[in-house]
Amino acid sequence: MTGVDFDFDRLRRYPDVEAANLFAVDATDRLLLDEAAPRLRDASPGSVVLVNDHYGALTLGAAALHGLDRLRVHQDPLSGELALASNAERFGLTGRFRQLPLDAELVRAAEVVLIQAPKSIDALREAVELIAGHADPSVQVFLGGRVKHLSLGMNEVLRASFGEVQAGLARQKSRVITARKPHPGASGPGFPRREYLTEIGLWVCAHGAVFAGTKLDLGTRQLLAMLDRMAPEIAAGTAIDLGCGTGILAAALARARPQLTVIATDESAAAVASARATMLANEVADRVSVRREDAMSGLADASADLIVCNPPFHVGATVNPATALKLFRAAGRVLRPGGQLWTVYNSHLDHRRSLERFLGSTRQAHRDPKFTVTVSVRR
C-alpha cells in the first residue's frame, strides 16, 4: 500500500508554533525509519507502535514508505496530535493510524516500537516498562534522539527491562539505540508516582512525562507565595491554572477558596492525567475540572476572572518564547475585563511588553535574580 507522494519537507508543525528555526522533521526521524526498515517491512498488521512522534514524521513515514496500516500512536502534546492529523490529510494518509493513551492497550502484542527520545528519564521509563510488560516477546524497540540528549541513564532504563541493548552508529548528530528480549516482570513501582509535599500540604501525583515530576518546581513555588494576593475580591468566580502540569496551583486554589470554580488545563496528556490524580489525592476532584486543551481553545471568551500560569521558555530543546506568547494571547481572550493573569518567568526574559500588548496594565509583584512574577489586568 505504498505509492503515496510523500515528502518529509512538506510536513508542518501547525497548529503548534512555527518559526524559521523550528522544524516538523529532524535527522532522528529519518534515522529511526531507516534503522527500523527491515523490521517494519516484516511486521504483522497492526503490530507497529510510534511513541513521542513530534509532528507525524514517524507515523506518516511508516505509512507512506513502508505501506503500513493500523499504526498505533501516542503523542503527549495535543498540538502534536493535531499536527499529525493535519499532515495526514495533506498526504491522503488519514485513517492509517489511531491515537491511544500511554497504557497497556497501546503496546499490547506490539512487534516494533519506534520512540523519539523524551526529555525526561521517567517519561522513557514509563513507556519502556509498559512495552516490556505487554508487547510481543519478539518486540524490538528503536529509541532515537540527538546524540547530545541521549544519556547513559536512558541506556540503564532500557537494560532494566530488556536483555539486549545496543547503540548504533551516529548520523547527522543523531543515534538509535535498539532493545530486544523484554523482561516482563522487571517493572518498577508504576505510574503515576505519588508524594506528599509537607511544605505545601498537598499530595502530588506525576506521570513520567510531566514537568518536575512529584517535586515543587521553583516557578510554581513563587506563584504559591502570591496566592493570597491574587484577585482577593473574587469570591465565587472562575480561576484557571493554565499549563497546569501536575495541578499543584489548581489544587491549592481549590483548597484555599472553596467558592471558586477551578479549571486546570494543559495540552500534555501526561500533565492532564497527573493533575486528575492530584485532585483525587487531595479530595478536590469534585471542584476542579481538568481539561486537555491547546491554549484553552475550548474555553469561551471573557469567561474567567483569574488565570495563573508558569509558562515554558523552551520549544522542544530550543529556547523560544513562542509558547509563552501563545498562552498570554489566549489569556487575553479568556479573561473577563478586569480579570487578572498572574505569571512567573525567568527574570532575563522580556515578557512584560508582550503581557501589556495582549492583556493590558502589567505590574511587577516580585523579582529576584532568577524569577519575576507579574500581574496583568485585562483591559
Side-chain angles (χ1 to χ4, degrees), residues 339-355:
Q340 295 183 358
L341 167 67
W342 286 73
T343 189
V344 60
Y345 49 88
N346 290 80
S347 291
H348 69 272
L349 296 173
D350 185 22
H351 281 332
R352 186 163 178 172
R353 283 184 292 181
S354 298
L355 289 164

PDB file of all heavy atoms in Angstrom, residues 339-355:
ATOM      1  N   GLY A 339     -10.216  41.077  34.817  1.00  0.00           N
ATOM      2  CA  GLY A 339      -9.649  39.827  35.321  1.00  0.00           C
ATOM      3  C   GLY A 339      -8.126  39.885  35.357  1.00  0.00           C
ATOM      4  O   GLY A 339      -7.505  40.706  34.681  1.00  0.00           O
ATOM      5  N   GLN A 340      -7.530  38.999  36.134  1.00  0.00           N
ATOM      6  CA  GLN A 340      -6.084  39.037  36.357  1.00  0.00           C
ATOM      7  C   GLN A 340      -5.388  37.799  35.824  1.00  0.00           C
ATOM      8  O   GLN A 340      -5.874  36.680  35.995  1.00  0.00           O
ATOM      9  CB  GLN A 340      -5.780  39.156  37.858  1.00  0.00           C
ATOM     10  CG  GLN A 340      -6.232  40.452  38.498  1.00  0.00           C
ATOM     11  CD  GLN A 340      -5.832  40.530  39.962  1.00  0.00           C
ATOM     12  OE1 GLN A 340      -5.242  39.592  40.519  1.00  0.00           O
ATOM     13  NE2 GLN A 340      -6.155  41.639  40.604  1.00  0.00           N
ATOM     14  N   LEU A 341      -4.221  38.020  35.207  1.00  0.00           N
ATOM     15  CA  LEU A 341      -3.282  36.945  34.881  1.00  0.00           C
ATOM     16  C   LEU A 341      -2.048  37.113  35.751  1.00  0.00           C
ATOM     17  O   LEU A 341      -1.366  38.140  35.691  1.00  0.00           O
ATOM     18  CB  LEU A 341      -2.863  37.001  33.403  1.00  0.00           C
ATOM     19  CG  LEU A 341      -1.659  36.117  33.033  1.00  0.00           C
ATOM     20  CD1 LEU A 341      -2.004  34.634  33.165  1.00  0.00           C
ATOM     21  CD2 LEU A 341      -1.146  36.440  31.636  1.00  0.00           C
ATOM     22  N   TRP A 342      -1.771  36.104  36.567  1.00  0.00           N
ATOM     23  CA  TRP A 342      -0.544  36.062  37.350  1.00  0.00           C
ATOM     24  C   TRP A 342       0.392  35.063  36.676  1.00  0.00           C
ATOM     25  O   TRP A 342       0.019  33.908  36.451  1.00  0.00           O
ATOM     26  CB  TRP A 342      -0.829  35.623  38.790  1.00  0.00           C
ATOM     27  CG  TRP A 342      -1.483  36.694  39.623  1.00  0.00           C
ATOM     28  CD1 TRP A 342      -2.777  37.128  39.542  1.00  0.00           C
ATOM     29  CD2 TRP A 342      -0.866  37.466  40.658  1.00  0.00           C
ATOM     30  NE1 TRP A 342      -3.010  38.120  40.453  1.00  0.00           N
ATOM     31  CE2 TRP A 342      -1.851  38.347  41.165  1.00  0.00           C
ATOM     32  CE3 TRP A 342       0.422  37.489  41.210  1.00  0.00           C
ATOM     33  CZ2 TRP A 342      -1.584  39.250  42.190  1.00  0.00           C
ATOM     34  CZ3 TRP A 342       0.688  38.382  42.230  1.00  0.00           C
ATOM     35  CH2 TRP A 342      -0.307  39.258  42.723  1.00  0.00           C
ATOM     36  N   THR A 343       1.578  35.522  36.348  1.00  0.00           N
ATOM     37  CA  THR A 343       2.514  34.637  35.664  1.00  0.00           C
ATOM     38  C   THR A 343       3.915  34.791  36.230  1.00  0.00           C
ATOM     39  O   THR A 343       4.267  35.845  36.783  1.00  0.00           O
ATOM     40  CB  THR A 343       2.505  34.903  34.136  1.00  0.00           C
ATOM     41  OG1 THR A 343       3.256  33.900  33.466  1.00  0.00           O
ATOM     42  CG2 THR A 343       3.090  36.263  33.808  1.00  0.00           C
ATOM     43  N   VAL A 344       4.709  33.743  36.113  1.00  0.00           N
ATOM     44  CA  VAL A 344       6.090  33.744  36.581  1.00  0.00           C
ATOM     45  C   VAL A 344       6.982  33.346  35.409  1.00  0.00           C
ATOM     46  O   VAL A 344       6.612  32.496  34.602  1.00  0.00           O
ATOM     47  CB  VAL A 344       6.278  32.783  37.776  1.00  0.00           C
ATOM     48  CG1 VAL A 344       5.921  31.353  37.408  1.00  0.00           C
ATOM     49  CG2 VAL A 344       7.704  32.853  38.327  1.00  0.00           C
ATOM     50  N   TYR A 345       8.147  33.969  35.327  1.00  0.00           N
ATOM     51  CA  TYR A 345       9.068  33.639  34.251  1.00  0.00           C
ATOM     52  C   TYR A 345      10.484  34.014  34.679  1.00  0.00           C
ATOM     53  O   TYR A 345      10.695  34.775  35.636  1.00  0.00           O
ATOM     54  CB  TYR A 345       8.683  34.349  32.947  1.00  0.00           C
ATOM     55  CG  TYR A 345       8.411  35.843  33.069  1.00  0.00           C
ATOM     56  CD1 TYR A 345       9.448  36.772  32.950  1.00  0.00           C
ATOM     57  CD2 TYR A 345       7.123  36.310  33.293  1.00  0.00           C
ATOM     58  CE1 TYR A 345       9.206  38.125  33.044  1.00  0.00           C
ATOM     59  CE2 TYR A 345       6.871  37.664  33.406  1.00  0.00           C
ATOM     60  CZ  TYR A 345       7.905  38.574  33.279  1.00  0.00           C
ATOM     61  OH  TYR A 345       7.665  39.920  33.386  1.00  0.00           O
ATOM     62  N   ASN A 346      11.447  33.476  33.958  1.00  0.00           N
ATOM     63  CA  ASN A 346      12.840  33.777  34.254  1.00  0.00           C
ATOM     64  C   ASN A 346      13.106  35.269  34.075  1.00  0.00           C
ATOM     65  O   ASN A 346      12.678  35.872  33.083  1.00  0.00           O
ATOM     66  CB  ASN A 346      13.770  32.962  33.361  1.00  0.00           C
ATOM     67  CG  ASN A 346      13.746  31.498  33.729  1.00  0.00           C
ATOM     68  OD1 ASN A 346      12.830  30.771  33.344  1.00  0.00           O
ATOM     69  ND2 ASN A 346      14.732  31.043  34.473  1.00  0.00           N
ATOM     70  N   SER A 347      13.829  35.856  35.021  1.00  0.00           N
ATOM     71  CA  SER A 347      13.988  37.310  35.051  1.00  0.00           C
ATOM     72  C   SER A 347      14.709  37.871  33.837  1.00  0.00           C
ATOM     73  O   SER A 347      14.565  39.060  33.520  1.00  0.00           O
ATOM     74  CB  SER A 347      14.716  37.720  36.333  1.00  0.00           C
ATOM     75  OG  SER A 347      13.890  37.498  37.470  1.00  0.00           O
ATOM     76  N   HIS A 348      15.478  37.055  33.139  1.00  0.00           N
ATOM     77  CA  HIS A 348      16.172  37.572  31.961  1.00  0.00           C
ATOM     78  C   HIS A 348      15.260  37.699  30.743  1.00  0.00           C
ATOM     79  O   HIS A 348      15.654  38.296  29.729  1.00  0.00           O
ATOM     80  CB  HIS A 348      17.373  36.681  31.608  1.00  0.00           C
ATOM     81  CG  HIS A 348      16.985  35.328  31.086  1.00  0.00           C
ATOM     82  ND1 HIS A 348      16.751  34.253  31.905  1.00  0.00           N
ATOM     83  CD2 HIS A 348      16.792  34.879  29.812  1.00  0.00           C
ATOM     84  CE1 HIS A 348      16.429  33.201  31.169  1.00  0.00           C
ATOM     85  NE2 HIS A 348      16.440  33.551  29.899  1.00  0.00           N
ATOM     86  N   LEU A 349      14.033  37.147  30.830  1.00  0.00           N
ATOM     87  CA  LEU A 349      13.107  37.199  29.689  1.00  0.00           C
ATOM     88  C   LEU A 349      12.322  38.510  29.703  1.00  0.00           C
ATOM     89  O   LEU A 349      11.895  38.981  30.752  1.00  0.00           O
ATOM     90  CB  LEU A 349      12.137  36.015  29.739  1.00  0.00           C
ATOM     91  CG  LEU A 349      12.780  34.629  29.604  1.00  0.00           C
ATOM     92  CD1 LEU A 349      11.753  33.540  29.840  1.00  0.00           C
ATOM     93  CD2 LEU A 349      13.421  34.478  28.225  1.00  0.00           C
ATOM     94  N   ASP A 350      12.103  39.068  28.541  1.00  0.00           N
ATOM     95  CA  ASP A 350      11.396  40.343  28.422  1.00  0.00           C
ATOM     96  C   ASP A 350       9.934  40.100  28.050  1.00  0.00           C
ATOM     97  O   ASP A 350       9.495  40.409  26.934  1.00  0.00           O
ATOM     98  CB  ASP A 350      12.092  41.224  27.372  1.00  0.00           C
ATOM     99  CG  ASP A 350      11.475  42.608  27.285  1.00  0.00           C
ATOM    100  OD1 ASP A 350      10.827  43.024  28.258  1.00  0.00           O
ATOM    101  OD2 ASP A 350      11.637  43.267  26.240  1.00  0.00           O
ATOM    102  N   HIS A 351       9.175  39.521  28.992  1.00  0.00           N
ATOM    103  CA  HIS A 351       7.773  39.202  28.707  1.00  0.00           C
ATOM    104  C   HIS A 351       6.820  40.359  29.011  1.00  0.00           C
ATOM    105  O   HIS A 351       5.672  40.350  28.554  1.00  0.00           O
ATOM    106  CB  HIS A 351       7.323  37.994  29.529  1.00  0.00           C
ATOM    107  CG  HIS A 351       7.778  36.675  28.971  1.00  0.00           C
ATOM    108  ND1 HIS A 351       8.022  36.471  27.632  1.00  0.00           N
ATOM    109  CD2 HIS A 351       8.002  35.474  29.579  1.00  0.00           C
ATOM    110  CE1 HIS A 351       8.387  35.217  27.430  1.00  0.00           C
ATOM    111  NE2 HIS A 351       8.396  34.598  28.589  1.00  0.00           N
ATOM    112  N   ARG A 352       7.272  41.334  29.777  1.00  0.00           N
ATOM    113  CA  ARG A 352       6.336  42.351  30.246  1.00  0.00           C
ATOM    114  C   ARG A 352       5.678  43.119  29.104  1.00  0.00           C
ATOM    115  O   ARG A 352       4.468  43.391  29.125  1.00  0.00           O
ATOM    116  CB  ARG A 352       7.047  43.310  31.204  1.00  0.00           C
ATOM    117  CG  ARG A 352       6.098  44.315  31.844  1.00  0.00           C
ATOM    118  CD  ARG A 352       6.706  44.955  33.062  1.00  0.00           C
ATOM    119  NE  ARG A 352       5.826  45.933  33.650  1.00  0.00           N
ATOM    120  CZ  ARG A 352       6.050  46.533  34.811  1.00  0.00           C
ATOM    121  NH1 ARG A 352       7.126  46.218  35.515  1.00  0.00           N
ATOM    122  NH2 ARG A 352       5.216  47.422  35.278  1.00  0.00           N
ATOM    123  N   ARG A 353       6.454  43.472  28.091  1.00  0.00           N
ATOM    124  CA  ARG A 353       5.869  44.212  26.962  1.00  0.00           C
ATOM    125  C   ARG A 353       4.813  43.384  26.235  1.00  0.00           C
ATOM    126  O   ARG A 353       3.774  43.906  25.804  1.00  0.00           O
ATOM    127  CB  ARG A 353       6.969  44.650  26.003  1.00  0.00           C
ATOM    128  CG  ARG A 353       7.758  45.852  26.491  1.00  0.00           C
ATOM    129  CD  ARG A 353       8.781  46.315  25.477  1.00  0.00           C
ATOM    130  NE  ARG A 353       9.853  45.357  25.316  1.00  0.00           N
ATOM    131  CZ  ARG A 353      10.885  45.535  24.501  1.00  0.00           C
ATOM    132  NH1 ARG A 353      10.963  46.634  23.749  1.00  0.00           N
ATOM    133  NH2 ARG A 353      11.847  44.632  24.408  1.00  0.00           N
ATOM    134  N   SER A 354       5.052  42.078  26.119  1.00  0.00           N
ATOM    135  CA  SER A 354       4.059  41.212  25.469  1.00  0.00           C
ATOM    136  C   SER A 354       2.800  41.107  26.319  1.00  0.00           C
ATOM    137  O   SER A 354       1.681  41.112  25.784  1.00  0.00           O
ATOM    138  CB  SER A 354       4.664  39.824  25.245  1.00  0.00           C
ATOM    139  OG  SER A 354       5.774  39.889  24.386  1.00  0.00           O
ATOM    140  N   LEU A 355       2.963  41.013  27.620  1.00  0.00           N
ATOM    141  CA  LEU A 355       1.803  40.952  28.506  1.00  0.00           C
ATOM    142  C   LEU A 355       0.974  42.220  28.401  1.00  0.00           C
ATOM    143  O   LEU A 355      -0.270  42.171  28.364  1.00  0.00           O
ATOM    144  CB  LEU A 355       2.269  40.728  29.946  1.00  0.00           C
ATOM    145  CG  LEU A 355       2.832  39.332  30.242  1.00  0.00           C
ATOM    146  CD1 LEU A 355       3.621  39.328  31.554  1.00  0.00           C
ATOM    147  CD2 LEU A 355       1.696  38.303  30.313  1.00  0.00           C
TER     148      LEU A 355
END
